[in-house]
Amino acid sequence: MKIVETIQEVRDQVKEWRKQGLTVGLVPTMGYLHEGHKSLIDCAVAENDRVVVSVFVNPMQFGPKEDLASYPRDLDRDAAVCESAGAALVFHPEPSEMYHDDFSSFVDMSTLTGGLCGKTRPIHFRGVCTVVSKLFNIVVPDKAYFGQKDAQQLAVIRHMVSDLNFGIEIVGCPIVREEDGLAKSSRNTYLSEEERRAALILSQSLKKGKALLETGETDAAKLRAVIANTLATEPLAKVDYVEVVGWDTLEPVESINGPILTAIAVYIGKTRLIDNFIWQKETR
Ligand code: AMP
Protein backbone atom coordinates (compact mmCIF):
# COMPACT_ATOMS: atom_id res chain seq x y z
CA MET A 1 0.00 0.00 0.00
CA LYS A 2 1.26 3.47 -0.89
CA ILE A 3 0.70 6.72 1.02
CA VAL A 4 0.84 9.84 -1.16
CA GLU A 5 0.34 13.54 -0.51
CA THR A 6 0.01 15.03 -3.97
CA ILE A 7 -2.78 15.05 -6.53
CA GLN A 8 -0.31 14.17 -9.27
CA GLU A 9 0.77 10.98 -7.51
CA VAL A 10 -2.87 9.88 -7.20
CA ARG A 11 -3.53 10.62 -10.88
CA ASP A 12 -0.37 8.72 -11.97
CA GLN A 13 -1.28 5.68 -9.88
CA VAL A 14 -4.89 5.56 -11.04
CA LYS A 15 -3.77 5.99 -14.66
CA GLU A 16 -1.51 2.97 -14.25
CA TRP A 17 -4.39 0.90 -12.84
CA ARG A 18 -6.72 2.01 -15.61
CA LYS A 19 -4.13 0.88 -18.21
CA GLN A 20 -4.32 -2.55 -16.61
CA GLY A 21 -8.12 -2.47 -16.88
CA LEU A 22 -8.63 -2.39 -13.11
CA THR A 23 -11.66 -0.91 -11.34
CA VAL A 24 -11.18 1.70 -8.61
CA GLY A 25 -13.18 2.42 -5.45
CA LEU A 26 -12.87 5.55 -3.30
CA VAL A 27 -13.53 5.92 0.44
CA PRO A 28 -13.40 9.60 1.50
CA THR A 29 -12.63 10.09 5.23
CA MET A 30 -11.29 12.66 7.66
CA GLY A 31 -9.11 10.00 9.30
CA TYR A 32 -8.87 8.76 12.87
CA LEU A 33 -10.34 5.62 11.42
CA HIS A 34 -12.57 3.25 13.36
CA GLU A 35 -14.68 0.18 12.57
CA GLY A 36 -17.25 2.36 10.79
CA HIS A 37 -14.67 3.59 8.30
CA LYS A 38 -13.24 0.07 8.05
CA SER A 39 -16.65 -1.29 7.04
CA LEU A 40 -16.64 1.14 4.09
CA ILE A 41 -13.12 0.09 3.10
CA ASP A 42 -14.07 -3.61 3.44
CA CYS A 43 -17.05 -3.08 1.18
CA ALA A 44 -14.94 -1.14 -1.35
CA VAL A 45 -12.23 -3.83 -1.36
CA ALA A 46 -14.87 -6.51 -2.00
CA GLU A 47 -16.34 -4.61 -4.98
CA ASN A 48 -13.28 -3.04 -6.68
CA ASP A 49 -9.84 -4.17 -7.90
CA ARG A 50 -8.10 -1.24 -6.18
CA VAL A 51 -9.24 1.03 -3.33
CA VAL A 52 -8.15 4.58 -2.56
CA VAL A 53 -8.81 5.95 0.94
CA SER A 54 -8.54 9.72 1.33
CA VAL A 55 -7.59 10.99 4.77
CA PHE A 56 -8.17 14.74 4.84
CA VAL A 57 -9.57 16.94 7.60
CA ASN A 58 -11.28 19.35 5.23
CA PRO A 59 -11.08 22.89 6.67
CA MET A 60 -13.84 24.10 4.34
CA GLN A 61 -16.55 22.03 6.03
CA PHE A 62 -15.87 23.37 9.55
CA GLY A 63 -17.51 26.52 10.87
CA PRO A 64 -15.38 29.16 12.64
CA LYS A 65 -16.41 27.91 16.10
CA GLU A 66 -16.12 24.20 15.28
CA ASP A 67 -13.46 21.64 16.14
CA LEU A 68 -11.09 21.86 13.14
CA ALA A 69 -7.97 22.40 15.27
CA SER A 70 -8.80 19.73 17.84
CA TYR A 71 -10.14 17.12 15.39
CA PRO A 72 -8.22 13.91 16.20
CA ARG A 73 -5.48 12.87 13.78
CA ASP A 74 -3.25 9.76 13.63
CA LEU A 75 -1.98 8.95 10.16
CA ASP A 76 0.19 5.99 11.23
CA ARG A 77 -2.75 4.23 12.80
CA ASP A 78 -5.00 5.13 9.85
CA ALA A 79 -2.44 3.70 7.42
CA ALA A 80 -2.32 0.45 9.40
CA VAL A 81 -6.14 0.17 9.29
CA CYS A 82 -6.18 0.84 5.53
CA GLU A 83 -3.39 -1.63 4.82
CA SER A 84 -4.92 -4.42 6.88
CA ALA A 85 -8.29 -3.88 5.16
CA GLY A 86 -6.63 -4.22 1.75
CA ALA A 87 -6.62 -0.61 0.47
CA ALA A 88 -4.03 0.08 -2.24
CA LEU A 89 -3.51 3.81 -1.78
CA VAL A 90 -3.93 6.39 0.98
CA PHE A 91 -4.25 9.99 -0.21
CA HIS A 92 -3.28 12.35 2.60
CA PRO A 93 -2.94 15.88 1.20
CA GLU A 94 -2.05 19.04 3.08
CA PRO A 95 -4.81 21.69 2.93
CA SER A 96 -2.53 23.75 0.63
CA GLU A 97 -2.47 20.86 -1.88
CA MET A 98 -6.28 20.87 -2.05
CA TYR A 99 -6.83 24.63 -1.81
CA HIS A 100 -4.29 26.90 -3.40
CA ASP A 101 -4.17 30.54 -2.30
CA ASP A 102 -6.56 31.87 -4.94
CA PHE A 103 -9.05 29.00 -4.62
CA SER A 104 -12.50 30.44 -5.37
CA SER A 105 -14.83 27.81 -6.88
CA PHE A 106 -17.43 26.00 -4.79
CA VAL A 107 -20.09 23.35 -5.20
CA ASP A 108 -23.26 24.42 -3.43
CA MET A 109 -26.73 22.88 -3.26
CA SER A 110 -30.03 24.69 -2.91
CA THR A 111 -32.06 21.68 -1.72
CA LEU A 112 -31.41 19.08 1.01
CA THR A 113 -28.82 21.19 2.84
CA GLY A 114 -30.97 23.77 4.67
CA GLY A 115 -32.45 21.50 7.36
CA LEU A 116 -31.10 18.96 9.85
CA CYS A 117 -27.35 19.55 10.31
CA GLY A 118 -27.48 22.42 7.78
CA LYS A 119 -29.34 24.57 10.32
CA THR A 120 -26.54 24.68 12.87
CA ARG A 121 -23.79 24.10 10.29
CA PRO A 122 -24.73 26.53 7.48
CA ILE A 123 -21.47 26.23 5.49
CA HIS A 124 -20.87 22.55 6.15
CA PHE A 125 -22.40 20.98 3.04
CA ARG A 126 -20.82 23.50 0.69
CA GLY A 127 -17.47 22.36 2.09
CA VAL A 128 -18.43 18.70 1.79
CA CYS A 129 -19.74 19.01 -1.80
CA THR A 130 -16.68 20.99 -2.87
CA VAL A 131 -14.12 18.61 -1.40
CA VAL A 132 -15.95 15.47 -2.54
CA SER A 133 -16.21 16.91 -6.08
CA LYS A 134 -12.48 17.56 -6.02
CA LEU A 135 -11.78 14.03 -4.80
CA PHE A 136 -14.05 12.62 -7.53
CA ASN A 137 -12.17 14.65 -10.14
CA ILE A 138 -8.78 13.63 -8.77
CA VAL A 139 -9.43 9.89 -8.37
CA VAL A 140 -12.24 9.38 -10.93
CA PRO A 141 -13.40 6.20 -9.18
CA ASP A 142 -16.01 3.74 -10.44
CA LYS A 143 -17.67 3.68 -7.03
CA ALA A 144 -17.46 5.78 -3.87
CA TYR A 145 -18.50 4.70 -0.38
CA PHE A 146 -20.32 6.76 2.27
CA GLY A 147 -21.79 5.82 5.64
CA GLN A 148 -25.46 6.13 6.56
CA LYS A 149 -24.12 7.48 9.88
CA ASP A 150 -24.03 10.82 8.02
CA ALA A 151 -27.38 10.26 6.32
CA GLN A 152 -27.88 13.84 5.16
CA GLN A 153 -24.39 13.81 3.64
CA LEU A 154 -25.18 10.56 1.81
CA ALA A 155 -28.38 12.07 0.38
CA VAL A 156 -26.59 15.28 -0.60
CA ILE A 157 -23.75 13.42 -2.35
CA ARG A 158 -26.20 11.19 -4.26
CA HIS A 159 -28.09 14.30 -5.39
CA MET A 160 -24.89 16.10 -6.38
CA VAL A 161 -23.70 13.13 -8.43
CA SER A 162 -27.01 13.09 -10.27
CA ASP A 163 -27.13 16.90 -10.78
CA LEU A 164 -23.55 17.22 -11.98
CA ASN A 165 -23.36 13.96 -13.94
CA PHE A 166 -20.45 12.41 -12.13
CA GLY A 167 -20.30 8.92 -13.63
CA ILE A 168 -19.73 7.41 -10.20
CA GLU A 169 -21.88 4.92 -8.30
CA ILE A 170 -22.51 6.00 -4.71
CA VAL A 171 -22.70 3.11 -2.27
CA GLY A 172 -24.32 3.75 1.13
CA CYS A 173 -23.14 1.55 4.02
CA PRO A 174 -24.97 0.79 7.31
CA ILE A 175 -24.11 2.43 10.65
CA VAL A 176 -21.51 0.54 12.68
CA ARG A 177 -22.08 0.75 16.45
CA GLU A 178 -20.25 0.03 19.67
CA GLU A 179 -21.54 -3.06 21.49
CA ASP A 180 -23.75 -0.91 23.72
CA GLY A 181 -25.34 0.84 20.73
CA LEU A 182 -23.41 4.13 20.46
CA ALA A 183 -22.71 4.89 16.79
CA LYS A 184 -18.97 4.83 16.18
CA SER A 185 -17.50 8.27 15.55
CA SER A 186 -14.07 9.87 15.63
CA ARG A 187 -15.66 12.51 17.89
CA ASN A 188 -16.50 9.89 20.57
CA THR A 189 -12.87 10.34 21.71
CA TYR A 190 -13.87 13.79 23.04
CA LEU A 191 -16.23 12.23 25.61
CA SER A 192 -15.31 11.88 29.29
CA GLU A 193 -16.27 8.64 31.00
CA GLU A 194 -19.46 10.21 32.32
CA GLU A 195 -20.32 11.71 28.93
CA ARG A 196 -19.63 8.41 27.19
CA ARG A 197 -22.25 6.79 29.43
CA ALA A 198 -24.67 9.67 28.82
CA ALA A 199 -24.16 9.41 25.04
CA LEU A 200 -26.01 6.10 25.06
CA ILE A 201 -29.22 8.08 25.24
CA LEU A 202 -28.97 8.79 21.48
CA SER A 203 -29.25 5.18 20.33
CA GLN A 204 -31.67 4.37 23.16
CA SER A 205 -34.05 7.14 22.11
CA LEU A 206 -33.99 5.98 18.48
CA LYS A 207 -34.66 2.43 19.62
CA LYS A 208 -37.78 3.65 21.43
CA GLY A 209 -38.84 5.50 18.28
CA LYS A 210 -38.42 2.37 16.19
CA ALA A 211 -40.40 0.35 18.73
CA LEU A 212 -43.24 2.85 18.41
CA LEU A 213 -43.22 2.51 14.61
CA GLU A 214 -43.33 -1.24 15.01
CA THR A 215 -46.70 -0.89 16.74
CA GLY A 216 -48.03 0.59 13.48
CA GLU A 217 -47.85 4.25 14.55
CA THR A 218 -47.75 6.60 11.56
CA ASP A 219 -47.91 10.00 13.30
CA ALA A 220 -44.51 11.70 12.93
CA ALA A 221 -45.24 14.10 15.83
CA LYS A 222 -45.67 11.13 18.17
CA LEU A 223 -42.43 9.60 16.92
CA ARG A 224 -40.56 12.86 17.49
CA ALA A 225 -42.11 13.19 20.96
CA VAL A 226 -41.09 9.75 22.15
CA ILE A 227 -37.50 10.40 21.04
CA ALA A 228 -37.38 13.93 22.50
CA ASN A 229 -38.89 12.73 25.80
CA THR A 230 -36.31 9.98 26.08
CA LEU A 231 -33.46 12.40 25.34
CA ALA A 232 -34.85 14.74 28.02
CA THR A 233 -34.26 12.08 30.70
CA GLU A 234 -30.48 12.51 30.32
CA PRO A 235 -29.27 15.66 32.12
CA LEU A 236 -26.02 15.84 30.12
CA ALA A 237 -27.87 15.79 26.78
CA LYS A 238 -28.85 19.02 25.03
CA VAL A 239 -30.92 18.47 21.89
CA ASP A 240 -29.93 20.26 18.67
CA TYR A 241 -32.68 18.60 16.63
CA VAL A 242 -35.03 15.63 16.46
CA GLU A 243 -36.42 15.38 12.93
CA VAL A 244 -38.60 13.00 10.94
CA VAL A 245 -38.14 13.73 7.23
CA GLY A 246 -38.79 12.04 3.90
CA TRP A 247 -35.69 10.10 2.89
CA ASP A 248 -35.94 11.50 -0.63
CA THR A 249 -36.66 15.18 0.15
CA LEU A 250 -35.25 15.57 3.68
CA GLU A 251 -38.35 17.72 4.33
CA PRO A 252 -40.36 17.14 7.54
CA VAL A 253 -43.31 14.76 7.15
CA GLU A 254 -46.50 14.63 9.20
CA SER A 255 -47.44 11.05 8.60
CA ILE A 256 -45.20 8.10 7.92
CA ASN A 257 -45.98 6.48 4.60
CA GLY A 258 -42.95 6.28 2.33
CA PRO A 259 -39.35 5.81 3.47
CA ILE A 260 -38.41 8.26 6.23
CA LEU A 261 -35.21 9.35 7.91
CA THR A 262 -35.42 9.87 11.66
CA ALA A 263 -32.36 11.89 12.58
CA ILE A 264 -31.09 13.46 15.79
CA ALA A 265 -28.21 15.72 16.78
CA VAL A 266 -27.45 16.06 20.48
CA TYR A 267 -24.77 17.85 22.45
CA ILE A 268 -23.26 15.72 25.20
CA GLY A 269 -21.26 18.33 27.07
CA LYS A 270 -19.48 20.22 24.29
CA THR A 271 -19.49 17.29 21.87
CA ARG A 272 -22.14 17.25 19.16
CA LEU A 273 -23.16 13.71 18.21
CA ILE A 274 -25.53 12.54 15.47
CA ASP A 275 -27.46 9.33 14.92
CA ASN A 276 -30.40 8.18 12.80
CA PHE A 277 -32.40 5.38 11.30
CA ILE A 278 -34.13 4.95 7.96
CA TRP A 279 -37.56 3.36 8.07
CA GLN A 280 -39.49 1.80 5.26
CA LYS A 281 -42.96 0.67 6.23
CA GLU A 282 -43.02 -2.23 3.80
CA THR A 283 -39.72 -3.71 5.08
CA ARG A 284 -40.49 -3.62 8.79
P1 AMP B 1 -15.62 11.02 8.55
O1 AMP B 1 -14.19 10.57 8.67
O2 AMP B 1 -16.31 11.21 9.85
O3 AMP B 1 -15.79 12.14 7.57
O4 AMP B 1 -16.38 9.78 7.90
C1 AMP B 1 -15.97 9.23 6.67
C2 AMP B 1 -17.02 8.28 6.18
O5 AMP B 1 -17.20 7.23 7.13
C3 AMP B 1 -18.39 8.94 6.00
O6 AMP B 1 -18.99 8.45 4.82
C4 AMP B 1 -19.13 8.50 7.23
O7 AMP B 1 -20.53 8.44 7.06
C5 AMP B 1 -18.56 7.11 7.45
N1 AMP B 1 -18.75 6.70 8.84
C6 AMP B 1 -18.37 7.37 9.96
N2 AMP B 1 -18.79 6.72 11.06
C7 AMP B 1 -19.46 5.63 10.64
C8 AMP B 1 -20.16 4.56 11.30
N3 AMP B 1 -20.23 4.48 12.64
N4 AMP B 1 -20.73 3.59 10.54
C9 AMP B 1 -20.66 3.66 9.18
N5 AMP B 1 -20.02 4.63 8.50
C10 AMP B 1 -19.44 5.60 9.21
Side-chain angles (χ1 to χ4, degrees):
M1 188 190 76
K2 268 198 223 170
I3 303 174
V4 300
E5 295 195 345
T6 66
I7 292 164
Q8 194 56 50
E9 286 167 294
V10 177
R11 288 198 197 281
D12 291 346
Q13 178 63 82
V14 173
K15 199 169 169 191
E16 195 55 45
W17 290 335
R18 292 298 187 192
K19 256 193 229 155
Q20 297 167 36
L22 301 174
T23 59
V24 178
L26 170 66
V27 182
T29 81
M30 297 206 300
Y32 216 72
L33 304 182
H34 50 63
E35 290 292 319
H37 299 108
K38 190 176 169 297
S39 74
L40 269 54
I41 304 171
D42 287 342
C43 188
V45 166
E47 296 183 351
N48 301 270
D49 297 320
R50 296 289 182 271
V51 169
V52 180
V53 180
S54 60
V55 174
F56 180 57
V57 183
N58 175 34
M60 198 188 285
Q61 69 191 62
F62 287 78
K65 291 189 185 146
E66 291 181 356
D67 56 344
L68 173 62
S70 60
Y71 198 84
R73 295 159 165 91
D74 187 343
L75 183 63
D76 290 343
R77 223 191 76 205
D78 290 348
V81 171
C82 292
E83 179 139 45
S84 72
L89 187 72
V90 171
F91 177 42
H92 178 246
E94 287 293 325
S96 58
E97 176 71 5
M98 293 296 274
Y99 304 112
H100 43 71
D101 286 343
D102 58 349
F103 186 89
S104 54
S105 304
F106 301 90
V107 180
D108 214 345
M109 192 175 289
S110 55
T111 53
L112 304 183
T113 58
L116 304 173
C117 290
K119 268 197 187 140
T120 38
R121 308 189 74 189
I123 60 150
H124 177 68
F125 289 107
R126 181 170 97 143
V128 169
C129 287
T130 302
V131 79
V132 170
S133 297
K134 284 172 70 69
L135 290 168
F136 285 176
N137 285 330
I138 292 163
V139 178
V140 199
D142 298 283
K143 298 185 180 190
Y145 296 78
F146 294 85
Q148 190 204 304
K149 162 84 187 344
D150 299 273
Q152 187 175 18
Q153 170 174 278
L154 174 59
V156 164
I157 298 294
R158 283 206 167 118
H159 194 77
M160 179 186 83
V161 160
S162 162
D163 277 356
L164 300 183
N165 308 100
F166 284 105
I168 296 168
E169 185 186 332
I170 302 303
V171 182
C173 302
I175 302 176
V176 176
R177 298 176 179 280
E178 303 285 354
E179 257 175 40
D180 60 9
L182 178 66
K184 292 205 181 229
S185 165
S186 308
R187 289 189 168 100
N188 291 349
T189 54
Y190 297 152
L191 301 170
S192 69
E193 215 174 291
E194 199 193 358
E195 289 169 343
R196 170 65 183 77
R197 183 202 46 73
L200 271 186
I201 201 69
L202 277 87
S203 56
Q204 284 169 353
S205 70
L206 291 178
K207 218 170 160 186
K208 285 214 175 157
K210 249 189 214 170
L212 179 69
L213 290 178
E214 262 151 24
T215 67
E217 183 59 65
T218 55
D219 184 345
K222 285 191 181 152
L223 172 57
R224 270 200 309 276
V226 85
I227 294 169
N229 291 341
T230 308
L231 290 170
T233 64
E234 174 48 66
L236 293 186
K238 193 175 146 262
V239 172
D240 176 3
Y241 66 75
V242 175
E243 294 275 14
V244 180
V245 297
W247 178 221
D248 48 350
T249 61
L250 302 190
E251 291 294 335
V253 295
E254 280 177 17
S255 84
I256 295 156
N257 299 310
I260 53 138
L261 168 69
T262 303
I264 60 177
V266 179
Y267 289 93
I268 302 290
K270 284 189 178 147
T271 306
R272 185 175 175 279
L273 300 175
I274 56 172
D275 202 348
N276 69 78
F277 67 85
I278 294 168
W279 176 265
Q280 266 169 311
K281 214 173 173 186
E282 58 274 18
T283 59
R284 78 165 193 256

